Amino acid sequence: MISEPLISICIPNYNNAKYLRKSISSALNINYNNKEIIFVDDNSSDNSMAVAKEFSSYIKIYQNENNLGQAKNTNKCISLSNGKFVVILHSDDQLLANFAEKLVPLLEENEDVVMAVGERKETDESDNTVSITPFYNTNCFIPGEKQAKVFMMMSFLPCQVLFKKEAFIKSGQVNERHIVNLDGLLWFQISLLGEVAYIQDEVSIYRIHGENTTSKYNKTINHMMEYYVTLSEMFKLAKGREYLEGYFDIAEKRVATLTLRYCIDVIKNKDFKLANQYLQLSKVFDMDIVNNELYIKLKHFLLNVDLKNFENFCKEIDIIRKREFSYEPPFGYKQIRNQ
């Protein structure tokens, strides 16, 4: 019988005690025997360590004496791992039971594949869980540079991705100079080293709540400025790659669209002053954004804030924002036949 390759489930944690028990339990309960779970607490002020120690017989537990920050703590967590393959499981997210059995074969049986991606469910603070529309319309292998182009415009979440540790190290690891879209930058780096496998099967659950990293950064306009700085790092890495250089302008304009999406979240928090700043910032990235349907609706609302119809407005905007279609994979993809 062929032995299973070791996979490392790396859980970098900071103040997520509320969701931690479910996260660790999900890692323990995947249908895969040869796994290790590495938990590194970044000097939390809540009872995260007490929760983690409930699982001390099954996981490796570490705690930093000082807070390192998300990037450094993630790198430390992975440096302590021994697996051939790695998944970064943020401590408010969960893996589904099929995570490894779906993604490991894509890496183990295909030498050129450096990362494998599955779909996710989404849940909230109350565990209301929904499926989302798959990103691509078929299971496929994608040439790395072609997928890197996509990563300049969007990202998969860490809980969706299993990657080869060797590729992670060769890519330069998580870039510790940046604070926003770290996962997107990491996937970009890794995809420059080989193919990316994608399947529509759901393999994880991403939790959306007011205290996760993205929500915290949304509370200042610096979020999108830092996002742009991270995108500029991708541009530097792509310099000299003619295919990727041809998409720099499109990627920059995509930041304007993302700025509008974050503007919606700020509006829902009724911070209308900050929402106006997001709206104005979107024009810096793309002057033509003023013709966008979403921009026009947001501008009209912010000029005439009507709290009586606030809930209806939010529902209307969510309909516009929601993606209800799947994309065709980038040119050069190959369908996965036996998944």
Side-chain angles (χ1 to χ4, degrees):
M1 181 177 178
I2 300 175
S3 61
E4 298 175 327
L6 177 66
I7 69 168
S8 299
I9 302 172
C10 293
I11 307 179
N13 173 75
Y14 180 67
N15 284 348
N16 263 326
K18 180 178 180 180
Y19 306 110
L20 184 55
R21 194 172 285 106
K22 286 187 176 180
S23 184
I24 295 176
S25 295
S26 77
L28 288 169
N29 291 329
I30 64 171
N31 297 328
Y32 197 85
N33 293 321
N34 196 17
K35 60 180 179 286
E36 63 173 4
I37 300 171
I38 313 292
F39 173 86
V40 182
D41 182 73
D42 201 15
N43 199 23
S44 293
S45 57
D46 65 5
N47 66 326
S48 289
M49 283 298 292
V51 174
K53 287 177 180 177
E54 295 175 13
F55 301 90
S56 60
S57 298
Y58 310 101
I59 70 175
K60 301 173 184 177
I61 301 173
Y62 303 87
Q63 185 177 37
N64 300 327
E65 292 184 4
N66 301 297
N67 183 273
L68 301 181
Q70 183 181 3
K72 289 183 178 180
N73 194 42
T74 300
N75 279 336
K76 178 178 178 178
C77 197
I78 296 175
S79 74
L80 294 167
S81 69
N82 299 294
K84 183 178 182 180
F85 307 137
V86 176
V87 56
I88 301 168
L89 178 61
H90 287 167
S91 50
D92 46 359
D93 299 332
Q94 300 168 59
L95 301 181
L96 295 179
N98 66 348
F99 179 88
E101 61 188 0
K102 288 292 182 180
L103 298 185
V104 167
L106 296 170
L107 294 174
E108 185 71 355
E109 298 170 11
N110 299 281
E111 183 179 351
D112 293 335
V113 174
V114 290
M115 58 187 289
V117 183
E119 273 303 338
R120 68 181 188 269
K121 295 176 181 284
E122 292 184 350
T123 194
D124 60 16
E125 297 178 36
S126 302
D127 289 321
N128 297 306
T129 304
V130 297
S131 295
I132 65 170
T133 304
F135 188 78
Y136 288 130
N137 60 17
T138 188
N139 298 338
C140 55
F141 296 112
I142 305 168
E145 192 173 75
K146 300 297 193 297
Q147 181 59 39
K149 177 258 291 186
V150 179
F151 287 141
M152 291 195 297
M153 320 214 192
M154 58 72 64
S155 177
F156 294 117
L157 296 165
C159 59
Q160 295 178 249
V161 180
L162 185 69
F163 55 87
K164 291 180 176 176
K165 185 176 180 181
E166 180 182 18
F168 170 80
I169 295 171
K170 189 175 181 179
S171 76
Q173 307 182 62
V174 177
N175 191 313
E176 296 177 0
R177 297 190 304 274
H178 299 280
I179 58 175
V180 172
N181 195 27
L182 293 174
D183 46 348
L185 178 56
L186 178 60
W187 308 149
F188 181 87
Q189 294 166 194
I190 293 176
S191 66
L192 295 179
L193 300 175
E195 292 187 357
V196 175
Y198 168 86
I199 57 172
Q200 293 183 322
D201 299 74
E202 295 169 333
V203 297
S204 60
I205 302 175
Y206 171 68
R207 189 180 300 276
I208 301 171
H209 60 95
E211 293 302 313
N212 63 11
T213 302
T214 300
S215 296
K216 289 178 180 177
Y217 282 127
N218 282 358
K219 294 175 182 176
T220 73
I221 200 169
N222 291 340
H223 178 86
M224 294 314 302
M225 301 305 294
E226 291 291 347
Y227 185 98
Y228 183 77
V229 170
T230 304
L231 179 62
S232 297
E233 183 70 24
M234 295 184 194
F235 291 169
K236 285 196 292 185
L237 293 171
K239 192 171 183 180
R241 293 176 178 263
E242 185 177 352
Y243 173 78
L244 292 176
E245 288 181 336
Y247 287 91
F248 284 2
D249 287 344
I250 296 173
E252 188 171 277
K253 290 182 177 181
R254 171 66 177 165
V255 181
T257 304
L258 290 174
T259 303
L260 294 185
R261 291 176 176 270
Y262 288 123
C263 179
I264 293 172
D265 295 329
V266 174
I267 287 175
K268 288 182 175 181
N269 289 329
K270 298 184 179 179
D271 189 342
F272 303 126
K273 180 179 178 180
L274 180 59
N276 268 301
Q277 292 175 352
Y278 268 87
L279 196 68
Q280 295 305 314
L281 181 61
S282 68
K283 294 186 291 184
V284 174
F285 300 119
D286 180 10
M287 293 179 61
D288 293 332
I289 198 72
V290 295
N291 300 315
N292 180 284
E293 178 188 7
L294 185 55
Y295 177 93
I296 294 170
K297 285 187 177 295
L298 293 176
K299 180 180 179 181
H300 178 76
F301 174 81
L302 290 170
L303 285 173
N304 308 277
V305 174
D306 181 6
L307 293 180
K308 291 182 180 178
N309 294 311
F310 183 71
E311 289 189 13
N312 288 334
F313 172 78
C314 290
K315 290 178 181 178
E316 180 183 355
I317 290 300
D318 282 341
I319 292 173
I320 296 174
R321 179 168 67 166
K322 185 177 181 181
R323 177 178 57 83
E324 295 184 336
F325 62 92
S326 298
Y327 293 99
E328 180 82 6
F331 177 78
Y333 77 91
K334 297 174 290 185
Q335 277 193 317
I336 299 175
R337 299 293 183 182
N338 300 318
Q339 185 65 34

